[in-house]
Amino acid sequence: MNKNDIKNAGLKITLPRTKILKILETSEKRHMTAEDVYRILLADDEGAIALATVYRVLTQFEAADLVIRHNFESGQAVFELNNNEHHDHMVCMRTGKIVEFHDEIIEQRQREIAKKHGFKLVDHALTLYGEFEESPKMNKQ
Amino acid sequence: MNKNDIKNAGLKITLPRTKILKILETSEKRHMTAEDVYRILLADDEGAIALATVYRVLTQFEAADLVIRHNFESGQAVFELNNNEHHDHMVCMRTGKIVEFHDEIIEQRQREIAKKHGFKLVDHALTLYGEFEESPKMNKQ
DNA sequence: ATCAATGCAAAAACTTTGCACTGAT
DNA sequence: ATCAGTGCAAAGTTTTTGCATTGAT
């Protein structure tokens, strides 16, 4: 619930933070760069919010586990709201479209592999790169 | 075979390119940043090679499939020689140590997931982040 | 001789930081 | 009133680019 999330993170409830959180919650794109967020703020806005603030807030949200930061191939960090349902990503190299998926077999295998190597697994990132075929019948994002 | 690889890529055989390729082949670290390579060049060297050249050469090698570029969480790109044996990575968050692995079950699952989503799979990256336990008994790099 | 490759310095792209001002509690 | 949060501009980091010179064929 929006503002409580901010408060629970030990952060004060300010305009930049509520706006940024709302953008992440309501944007049709689930995966956004700091610039993406900044541009939306510029558009819908009365008082400007600095790009530096967007970065600061996103970084704080990440630290509070409200948001997940991804480093896809683009070189630009991408942020998404953390809904606590772990998932991986398929990234379309043509359109940039991102689709999430989750596969328990893969998850399980990863745990086994880590164990076999004496590796304490903290996190992982699996990203498939390719192209969606024309006339997509499913999923948005 | 060293120089042939360079020639086959349509590139002229020059000192920077042969040196950089040799560093990638012989360094005990298999995964190196441009800076890593540059620093080795500085150390063992008579004539200096510019960092810009290192980036250019690595990018050309990547285009020629001689080298694979990774974007791990560090924010700094990491390069490794392409030995044409696909593998994924475990990255130690404490020491930076990188261990490669390959799991056919995961590979197979990825192909199935892509197919199910009408996604033409071109490439993928799976990276496990965590920590290796003390007294490693196996594997290097 | 020709055109690709290089060094150097400058720029670009993305992100972070210092500092004085503003705002939440 | 206090101290966290913000805007702005400046700096940091990593990577790329322009251009004159050098070097491979």
Side-chain angles (χ1 to χ4, degrees), chain A residues 76-102:
Chain A
Q76 213 164 151
V78 169
F79 300 84
E80 71 169 307
L81 219 51
N82 181 5
N83 58 3
N84 291 308
E85 293 167 13
H86 166 77
H87 54 258
D88 296 306
H89 296 88
M90 297 163 60
V91 178
C92 181
M93 298 164 77
R94 187 162 43 81
T95 66
K97 175 176 171 172
I98 298 175
V99 170
E100 304 177 347
F101 69 91
H102 176 89

PDB file of all heavy atoms in Angstrom, chain A residues 76-102:
ATOM      1  N   GLN A  76      21.963   0.347 -19.576  1.00  0.00           N
ATOM      2  CA  GLN A  76      21.195   1.238 -18.718  1.00  0.00           C
ATOM      3  C   GLN A  76      20.436   0.396 -17.699  1.00  0.00           C
ATOM      4  O   GLN A  76      19.815  -0.598 -18.067  1.00  0.00           O
ATOM      5  CB  GLN A  76      20.213   2.034 -19.580  1.00  0.00           C
ATOM      6  CG  GLN A  76      19.953   3.427 -19.060  1.00  0.00           C
ATOM      7  CD  GLN A  76      19.309   4.302 -20.126  1.00  0.00           C
ATOM      8  OE1 GLN A  76      18.581   5.207 -19.812  1.00  0.00           O
ATOM      9  NE2 GLN A  76      19.575   4.009 -21.383  1.00  0.00           N
ATOM     10  N   ALA A  77      20.470   0.796 -16.452  1.00  0.00           N
ATOM     11  CA  ALA A  77      19.766   0.038 -15.430  1.00  0.00           C
ATOM     12  C   ALA A  77      18.266   0.171 -15.621  1.00  0.00           C
ATOM     13  O   ALA A  77      17.769   1.214 -16.039  1.00  0.00           O
ATOM     14  CB  ALA A  77      20.162   0.522 -14.043  1.00  0.00           C
ATOM     15  N   VAL A  78      17.556  -0.898 -15.320  1.00  0.00           N
ATOM     16  CA  VAL A  78      16.111  -0.938 -15.490  1.00  0.00           C
ATOM     17  C   VAL A  78      15.506  -1.316 -14.141  1.00  0.00           C
ATOM     18  O   VAL A  78      16.004  -2.205 -13.463  1.00  0.00           O
ATOM     19  CB  VAL A  78      15.742  -1.991 -16.555  1.00  0.00           C
ATOM     20  CG1 VAL A  78      14.258  -2.248 -16.572  1.00  0.00           C
ATOM     21  CG2 VAL A  78      16.221  -1.543 -17.924  1.00  0.00           C
ATOM     22  N   PHE A  79      14.442  -0.619 -13.768  1.00  0.00           N
ATOM     23  CA  PHE A  79      13.827  -0.839 -12.466  1.00  0.00           C
ATOM     24  C   PHE A  79      12.413  -1.381 -12.618  1.00  0.00           C
ATOM     25  O   PHE A  79      11.693  -0.992 -13.530  1.00  0.00           O
ATOM     26  CB  PHE A  79      13.782   0.480 -11.686  1.00  0.00           C
ATOM     27  CG  PHE A  79      15.128   1.092 -11.448  1.00  0.00           C
ATOM     28  CD1 PHE A  79      15.723   1.887 -12.423  1.00  0.00           C
ATOM     29  CD2 PHE A  79      15.820   0.857 -10.270  1.00  0.00           C
ATOM     30  CE1 PHE A  79      16.977   2.448 -12.207  1.00  0.00           C
ATOM     31  CE2 PHE A  79      17.075   1.416 -10.046  1.00  0.00           C
ATOM     32  CZ  PHE A  79      17.651   2.205 -11.023  1.00  0.00           C
ATOM     33  N   GLU A  80      12.045  -2.253 -11.710  1.00  0.00           N
ATOM     34  CA  GLU A  80      10.660  -2.706 -11.692  1.00  0.00           C
ATOM     35  C   GLU A  80      10.219  -2.849 -10.245  1.00  0.00           C
ATOM     36  O   GLU A  80      11.016  -3.094  -9.341  1.00  0.00           O
ATOM     37  CB  GLU A  80      10.498  -4.035 -12.430  1.00  0.00           C
ATOM     38  CG  GLU A  80      11.106  -5.206 -11.695  1.00  0.00           C
ATOM     39  CD  GLU A  80      10.700  -6.556 -12.290  1.00  0.00           C
ATOM     40  OE1 GLU A  80       9.500  -6.801 -12.455  1.00  0.00           O
ATOM     41  OE2 GLU A  80      11.605  -7.359 -12.575  1.00  0.00           O
ATOM     42  N   LEU A  81       8.941  -2.690 -10.042  1.00  0.00           N
ATOM     43  CA  LEU A  81       8.357  -2.878  -8.725  1.00  0.00           C
ATOM     44  C   LEU A  81       8.575  -4.315  -8.274  1.00  0.00           C
ATOM     45  O   LEU A  81       8.406  -5.255  -9.046  1.00  0.00           O
ATOM     46  CB  LEU A  81       6.858  -2.605  -8.834  1.00  0.00           C
ATOM     47  CG  LEU A  81       6.180  -1.878  -7.695  1.00  0.00           C
ATOM     48  CD1 LEU A  81       6.941  -0.604  -7.348  1.00  0.00           C
ATOM     49  CD2 LEU A  81       4.749  -1.547  -8.106  1.00  0.00           C
ATOM     50  N   ASN A  82       8.941  -4.481  -7.029  1.00  0.00           N
ATOM     51  CA  ASN A  82       9.122  -5.824  -6.496  1.00  0.00           C
ATOM     52  C   ASN A  82       7.790  -6.342  -5.957  1.00  0.00           C
ATOM     53  O   ASN A  82       7.288  -5.869  -4.949  1.00  0.00           O
ATOM     54  CB  ASN A  82      10.152  -5.798  -5.368  1.00  0.00           C
ATOM     55  CG  ASN A  82      10.383  -7.171  -4.794  1.00  0.00           C
ATOM     56  OD1 ASN A  82       9.850  -8.166  -5.298  1.00  0.00           O
ATOM     57  ND2 ASN A  82      11.192  -7.240  -3.764  1.00  0.00           N
ATOM     58  N   ASN A  83       7.233  -7.305  -6.649  1.00  0.00           N
ATOM     59  CA  ASN A  83       5.957  -7.868  -6.186  1.00  0.00           C
ATOM     60  C   ASN A  83       6.190  -9.155  -5.397  1.00  0.00           C
ATOM     61  O   ASN A  83       5.257  -9.906  -5.132  1.00  0.00           O
ATOM     62  CB  ASN A  83       5.035  -8.117  -7.373  1.00  0.00           C
ATOM     63  CG  ASN A  83       5.672  -9.055  -8.372  1.00  0.00           C
ATOM     64  OD1 ASN A  83       6.769  -9.558  -8.152  1.00  0.00           O
ATOM     65  ND2 ASN A  83       4.988  -9.289  -9.471  1.00  0.00           N
ATOM     66  N   ASN A  84       7.434  -9.404  -5.090  1.00  0.00           N
ATOM     67  CA  ASN A  84       7.800 -10.575  -4.292  1.00  0.00           C
ATOM     68  C   ASN A  84       7.479 -11.906  -4.948  1.00  0.00           C
ATOM     69  O   ASN A  84       7.465 -12.936  -4.287  1.00  0.00           O
ATOM     70  CB  ASN A  84       7.150 -10.514  -2.903  1.00  0.00           C
ATOM     71  CG  ASN A  84       7.766  -9.402  -2.093  1.00  0.00           C
ATOM     72  OD1 ASN A  84       8.969  -9.323  -1.958  1.00  0.00           O
ATOM     73  ND2 ASN A  84       6.925  -8.514  -1.583  1.00  0.00           N
ATOM     74  N   GLU A  85       7.202 -11.859  -6.243  1.00  0.00           N
ATOM     75  CA  GLU A  85       7.088 -13.124  -6.960  1.00  0.00           C
ATOM     76  C   GLU A  85       8.284 -13.191  -7.899  1.00  0.00           C
ATOM     77  O   GLU A  85       8.291 -12.539  -8.940  1.00  0.00           O
ATOM     78  CB  GLU A  85       5.793 -13.171  -7.770  1.00  0.00           C
ATOM     79  CG  GLU A  85       4.554 -13.216  -6.891  1.00  0.00           C
ATOM     80  CD  GLU A  85       3.293 -12.932  -7.709  1.00  0.00           C
ATOM     81  OE1 GLU A  85       3.366 -12.944  -8.954  1.00  0.00           O
ATOM     82  OE2 GLU A  85       2.247 -12.698  -7.084  1.00  0.00           O
ATOM     83  N   HIS A  86       9.260 -13.959  -7.506  1.00  0.00           N
ATOM     84  CA  HIS A  86      10.452 -13.987  -8.327  1.00  0.00           C
ATOM     85  C   HIS A  86      10.146 -14.442  -9.745  1.00  0.00           C
ATOM     86  O   HIS A  86       9.369 -15.354  -9.968  1.00  0.00           O
ATOM     87  CB  HIS A  86      11.505 -14.916  -7.736  1.00  0.00           C
ATOM     88  CG  HIS A  86      12.574 -15.195  -8.725  1.00  0.00           C
ATOM     89  ND1 HIS A  86      13.558 -14.280  -9.009  1.00  0.00           N
ATOM     90  CD2 HIS A  86      12.764 -16.222  -9.568  1.00  0.00           C
ATOM     91  CE1 HIS A  86      14.313 -14.761  -9.963  1.00  0.00           C
ATOM     92  NE2 HIS A  86      13.864 -15.937 -10.316  1.00  0.00           N
ATOM     93  N   HIS A  87      10.801 -13.801 -10.681  1.00  0.00           N
ATOM     94  CA  HIS A  87      10.607 -14.200 -12.073  1.00  0.00           C
ATOM     95  C   HIS A  87      11.837 -13.837 -12.876  1.00  0.00           C
ATOM     96  O   HIS A  87      12.681 -13.041 -12.444  1.00  0.00           O
ATOM     97  CB  HIS A  87       9.381 -13.504 -12.651  1.00  0.00           C
ATOM     98  CG  HIS A  87       9.433 -12.024 -12.500  1.00  0.00           C
ATOM     99  ND1 HIS A  87       8.738 -11.347 -11.542  1.00  0.00           N
ATOM    100  CD2 HIS A  87      10.128 -11.094 -13.175  1.00  0.00           C
ATOM    101  CE1 HIS A  87       8.997 -10.062 -11.633  1.00  0.00           C
ATOM    102  NE2 HIS A  87       9.850  -9.886 -12.614  1.00  0.00           N
ATOM    103  N   ASP A  88      11.922 -14.427 -14.042  1.00  0.00           N
ATOM    104  CA  ASP A  88      13.000 -14.112 -14.962  1.00  0.00           C
ATOM    105  C   ASP A  88      12.423 -13.379 -16.162  1.00  0.00           C
ATOM    106  O   ASP A  88      11.238 -13.075 -16.180  1.00  0.00           O
ATOM    107  CB  ASP A  88      13.713 -15.409 -15.332  1.00  0.00           C
ATOM    108  CG  ASP A  88      14.364 -16.042 -14.116  1.00  0.00           C
ATOM    109  OD1 ASP A  88      15.142 -15.353 -13.449  1.00  0.00           O
ATOM    110  OD2 ASP A  88      14.055 -17.208 -13.807  1.00  0.00           O
ATOM    111  N   HIS A  89      13.259 -13.085 -17.146  1.00  0.00           N
ATOM    112  CA  HIS A  89      12.813 -12.192 -18.222  1.00  0.00           C
ATOM    113  C   HIS A  89      13.160 -12.704 -19.618  1.00  0.00           C
ATOM    114  O   HIS A  89      14.225 -13.296 -19.819  1.00  0.00           O
ATOM    115  CB  HIS A  89      13.433 -10.810 -18.040  1.00  0.00           C
ATOM    116  CG  HIS A  89      12.994 -10.125 -16.791  1.00  0.00           C
ATOM    117  ND1 HIS A  89      13.641 -10.289 -15.593  1.00  0.00           N
ATOM    118  CD2 HIS A  89      11.936  -9.321 -16.528  1.00  0.00           C
ATOM    119  CE1 HIS A  89      13.016  -9.594 -14.653  1.00  0.00           C
ATOM    120  NE2 HIS A  89      11.981  -9.002 -15.187  1.00  0.00           N
ATOM    121  N   MET A  90      12.273 -12.432 -20.536  1.00  0.00           N
ATOM    122  CA  MET A  90      12.546 -12.592 -21.960  1.00  0.00           C
ATOM    123  C   MET A  90      12.542 -11.196 -22.565  1.00  0.00           C
ATOM    124  O   MET A  90      11.557 -10.472 -22.424  1.00  0.00           O
ATOM    125  CB  MET A  90      11.440 -13.418 -22.627  1.00  0.00           C
ATOM    126  CG  MET A  90      11.364 -14.842 -22.083  1.00  0.00           C
ATOM    127  SD  MET A  90       9.810 -15.673 -22.473  1.00  0.00           S
ATOM    128  CE  MET A  90       9.864 -15.634 -24.219  1.00  0.00           C
ATOM    129  N   VAL A  91      13.613 -10.822 -23.204  1.00  0.00           N
ATOM    130  CA  VAL A  91      13.730  -9.479 -23.761  1.00  0.00           C
ATOM    131  C   VAL A  91      13.752  -9.569 -25.278  1.00  0.00           C
ATOM    132  O   VAL A  91      14.610 -10.246 -25.855  1.00  0.00           O
ATOM    133  CB  VAL A  91      15.014  -8.777 -23.267  1.00  0.00           C
ATOM    134  CG1 VAL A  91      15.150  -7.401 -23.877  1.00  0.00           C
ATOM    135  CG2 VAL A  91      15.013  -8.679 -21.743  1.00  0.00           C
ATOM    136  N   CYS A  92      12.836  -8.880 -25.925  1.00  0.00           N
ATOM    137  CA  CYS A  92      12.792  -8.874 -27.392  1.00  0.00           C
ATOM    138  C   CYS A  92      13.836  -7.903 -27.918  1.00  0.00           C
ATOM    139  O   CYS A  92      13.829  -6.720 -27.568  1.00  0.00           O
ATOM    140  CB  CYS A  92      11.414  -8.475 -27.895  1.00  0.00           C
ATOM    141  SG  CYS A  92      11.318  -8.494 -29.705  1.00  0.00           S
ATOM    142  N   MET A  93      14.742  -8.416 -28.743  1.00  0.00           N
ATOM    143  CA  MET A  93      15.837  -7.596 -29.242  1.00  0.00           C
ATOM    144  C   MET A  93      15.367  -6.641 -30.337  1.00  0.00           C
ATOM    145  O   MET A  93      16.095  -5.735 -30.723  1.00  0.00           O
ATOM    146  CB  MET A  93      16.948  -8.501 -29.773  1.00  0.00           C
ATOM    147  CG  MET A  93      17.536  -9.389 -28.673  1.00  0.00           C
ATOM    148  SD  MET A  93      18.511 -10.769 -29.313  1.00  0.00           S
ATOM    149  CE  MET A  93      20.023  -9.909 -29.754  1.00  0.00           C
ATOM    150  N   ARG A  94      14.184  -6.848 -30.827  1.00  0.00           N
ATOM    151  CA  ARG A  94      13.661  -5.989 -31.897  1.00  0.00           C
ATOM    152  C   ARG A  94      12.841  -4.843 -31.307  1.00  0.00           C
ATOM    153  O   ARG A  94      13.040  -3.689 -31.667  1.00  0.00           O
ATOM    154  CB  ARG A  94      12.818  -6.829 -32.858  1.00  0.00           C
ATOM    155  CG  ARG A  94      12.349  -6.111 -34.113  1.00  0.00           C
ATOM    156  CD  ARG A  94      11.911  -7.108 -35.204  1.00  0.00           C
ATOM    157  NE  ARG A  94      11.109  -8.188 -34.644  1.00  0.00           N
ATOM    158  CZ  ARG A  94       9.803  -8.093 -34.364  1.00  0.00           C
ATOM    159  NH1 ARG A  94       9.148  -6.984 -34.588  1.00  0.00           N
ATOM    160  NH2 ARG A  94       9.159  -9.123 -33.859  1.00  0.00           N
ATOM    161  N   THR A  95      11.953  -5.178 -30.388  1.00  0.00           N
ATOM    162  CA  THR A  95      11.006  -4.180 -29.886  1.00  0.00           C
ATOM    163  C   THR A  95      11.287  -3.710 -28.465  1.00  0.00           C
ATOM    164  O   THR A  95      10.698  -2.741 -28.006  1.00  0.00           O
ATOM    165  CB  THR A  95       9.584  -4.763 -29.888  1.00  0.00           C
ATOM    166  OG1 THR A  95       9.538  -5.836 -28.931  1.00  0.00           O
ATOM    167  CG2 THR A  95       9.224  -5.320 -31.250  1.00  0.00           C
ATOM    168  N   GLY A  96      12.165  -4.415 -27.768  1.00  0.00           N
ATOM    169  CA  GLY A  96      12.420  -4.046 -26.383  1.00  0.00           C
ATOM    170  C   GLY A  96      11.393  -4.611 -25.410  1.00  0.00           C
ATOM    171  O   GLY A  96      11.529  -4.462 -24.198  1.00  0.00           O
ATOM    172  N   LYS A  97      10.375  -5.228 -25.949  1.00  0.00           N
ATOM    173  CA  LYS A  97       9.340  -5.808 -25.105  1.00  0.00           C
ATOM    174  C   LYS A  97       9.926  -6.810 -24.110  1.00  0.00           C
ATOM    175  O   LYS A  97      10.814  -7.585 -24.447  1.00  0.00           O
ATOM    176  CB  LYS A  97       8.321  -6.514 -26.002  1.00  0.00           C
ATOM    177  CG  LYS A  97       7.253  -7.277 -25.256  1.00  0.00           C
ATOM    178  CD  LYS A  97       6.243  -7.858 -26.238  1.00  0.00           C
ATOM    179  CE  LYS A  97       5.282  -8.798 -25.541  1.00  0.00           C
ATOM    180  NZ  LYS A  97       4.191  -9.228 -26.429  1.00  0.00           N
ATOM    181  N   ILE A  98       9.395  -6.780 -22.901  1.00  0.00           N
ATOM    182  CA  ILE A  98       9.888  -7.670 -21.857  1.00  0.00           C
ATOM    183  C   ILE A  98       8.729  -8.504 -21.329  1.00  0.00           C
ATOM    184  O   ILE A  98       7.678  -7.971 -20.988  1.00  0.00           O
ATOM    185  CB  ILE A  98      10.509  -6.866 -20.707  1.00  0.00           C
ATOM    186  CG1 ILE A  98      11.712  -6.074 -21.221  1.00  0.00           C
ATOM    187  CG2 ILE A  98      10.919  -7.792 -19.576  1.00  0.00           C
ATOM    188  CD1 ILE A  98      12.313  -5.149 -20.174  1.00  0.00           C
ATOM    189  N   VAL A  99       8.935  -9.799 -21.294  1.00  0.00           N
ATOM    190  CA  VAL A  99       7.925 -10.693 -20.734  1.00  0.00           C
ATOM    191  C   VAL A  99       8.556 -11.452 -19.573  1.00  0.00           C
ATOM    192  O   VAL A  99       9.710 -11.879 -19.661  1.00  0.00           O
ATOM    193  CB  VAL A  99       7.395 -11.676 -21.800  1.00  0.00           C
ATOM    194  CG1 VAL A  99       6.536 -12.754 -21.163  1.00  0.00           C
ATOM    195  CG2 VAL A  99       6.587 -10.934 -22.843  1.00  0.00           C
ATOM    196  N   GLU A 100       7.793 -11.579 -18.517  1.00  0.00           N
ATOM    197  CA  GLU A 100       8.308 -12.274 -17.350  1.00  0.00           C
ATOM    198  C   GLU A 100       7.880 -13.730 -17.378  1.00  0.00           C
ATOM    199  O   GLU A 100       6.831 -14.071 -17.922  1.00  0.00           O
ATOM    200  CB  GLU A 100       7.755 -11.612 -16.091  1.00  0.00           C
ATOM    201  CG  GLU A 100       8.076 -10.131 -16.036  1.00  0.00           C
ATOM    202  CD  GLU A 100       7.477  -9.453 -14.823  1.00  0.00           C
ATOM    203  OE1 GLU A 100       6.624 -10.063 -14.169  1.00  0.00           O
ATOM    204  OE2 GLU A 100       7.893  -8.316 -14.536  1.00  0.00           O
ATOM    205  N   PHE A 101       8.698 -14.559 -16.786  1.00  0.00           N
ATOM    206  CA  PHE A 101       8.288 -15.957 -16.638  1.00  0.00           C
ATOM    207  C   PHE A 101       8.912 -16.522 -15.370  1.00  0.00           C
ATOM    208  O   PHE A 101       9.844 -15.948 -14.814  1.00  0.00           O
ATOM    209  CB  PHE A 101       8.685 -16.783 -17.867  1.00  0.00           C
ATOM    210  CG  PHE A 101      10.171 -16.982 -18.018  1.00  0.00           C
ATOM    211  CD1 PHE A 101      10.798 -18.085 -17.459  1.00  0.00           C
ATOM    212  CD2 PHE A 101      10.932 -16.064 -18.720  1.00  0.00           C
ATOM    213  CE1 PHE A 101      12.167 -18.273 -17.593  1.00  0.00           C
ATOM    214  CE2 PHE A 101      12.304 -16.245 -18.864  1.00  0.00           C
ATOM    215  CZ  PHE A 101      12.924 -17.348 -18.300  1.00  0.00           C
ATOM    216  N   HIS A 102       8.382 -17.624 -14.977  1.00  0.00           N
ATOM    217  CA  HIS A 102       8.919 -18.299 -13.799  1.00  0.00           C
ATOM    218  C   HIS A 102       8.851 -19.792 -14.072  1.00  0.00           C
ATOM    219  O   HIS A 102       7.848 -20.287 -14.564  1.00  0.00           O
ATOM    220  CB  HIS A 102       8.088 -17.957 -12.563  1.00  0.00           C
ATOM    221  CG  HIS A 102       8.536 -18.700 -11.342  1.00  0.00           C
ATOM    222  ND1 HIS A 102       9.500 -18.205 -10.493  1.00  0.00           N
ATOM    223  CD2 HIS A 102       8.186 -19.910 -10.843  1.00  0.00           C
ATOM    224  CE1 HIS A 102       9.705 -19.068  -9.522  1.00  0.00           C
ATOM    225  NE2 HIS A 102       8.930 -20.114  -9.712  1.00  0.00           N
TER     226      HIS A 102
END
